[in-house]
Amino acid sequence: MKMILAVIQDKDSPKLTQNLVKAGIRATKLASTGGFLREGNTTFLIGCADEEVESVLRVIREVCRAREQLVTPLSSAAGATDSYVPFPVEVTVGGATVFVLNVERFEKV
Ligand code: 2BA
């Protein structure tokens, strides 16, 4: 068994939920926050059989789009110093950041 962790953009979350349900794939959605942009994103936890991993990834690929986003990074220090001049940079976010982990044991009690 595998656990798929997929960090996706909030905008893609309703469609991904819908398509996973249609495909008979069970999932849990968590509200999460990106460490870099410090904006909300969504993390899906999807437990599935080893042989289902590719079809789950297919659904994720179909739904989750990469988007360009203009961001003004915050200074890493809590308070910006006088010498810190923030300027906007363009980053490509998504489609999805996916981790596939082995599940040692699974129980429903
Ligand atoms: P964020 O950390 O908010 O990152 C959003 C986007 O900003 C990233 O898109 C990437 O294009 C850019 N970015 C992130 N860190 C950067 C850095 N140090 N320098 C320059 N650009 C940077 P994605 O790569 O598509 O990531 C989307 C979200 O997926 C991330 O949101 C984070 O929540 C999650 N993520 C990505 N890689 C991860 C990892 N290795 N472990 C855990 N979560 C990860």
Side-chain angles (χ1 to χ4, degrees):
M1 186 176 194
K2 303 287 188 203
M3 170 60 67
I4 299 175
L5 302 184
V7 185
I8 71 156
Q9 293 176 73
D10 286 343
K11 284 174 190 160
D12 292 325
S13 170
K15 181 85 178 155
L16 184 59
T17 305
Q18 194 184 337
N19 286 17
L20 289 172
V21 169
K22 254 193 234 163
I25 297 159
R26 295 178 183 212
T28 296
K29 255 172 38 165
L30 303 176
S32 46
T33 304
F36 185 68
L37 296 183
R38 302 174 203 192
E39 285 185 0
N41 53 28
T42 304
T43 300
F44 279 76
L45 308 183
I46 303 165
C48 66
D50 290 15
E51 57 275 18
E52 289 176 321
V53 169
E54 286 313 314
S55 49
V56 173
L57 293 179
R58 200 175 318 120
V59 174
I60 293 172
R61 278 192 206 103
E62 279 163 9
V63 171
C64 299
R65 292 201 294 113
R67 294 181 180 88
E68 301 298 325
Q69 201 167 325
L70 207 57
V71 292
T72 305
L74 298 171
S75 163
S76 53
T81 63
D82 289 345
S83 60
Y84 177 72
V85 182
F87 58 92
V89 290
E90 197 169 64
V91 294
T92 304
V93 187
T97 300
V98 181
F99 304 88
V100 181
L101 314 176
N102 286 319
V103 173
E104 199 168 302
R105 181 168 165 172
F106 168 71
E107 284 190 39
K108 273 184 127 177
V109 182

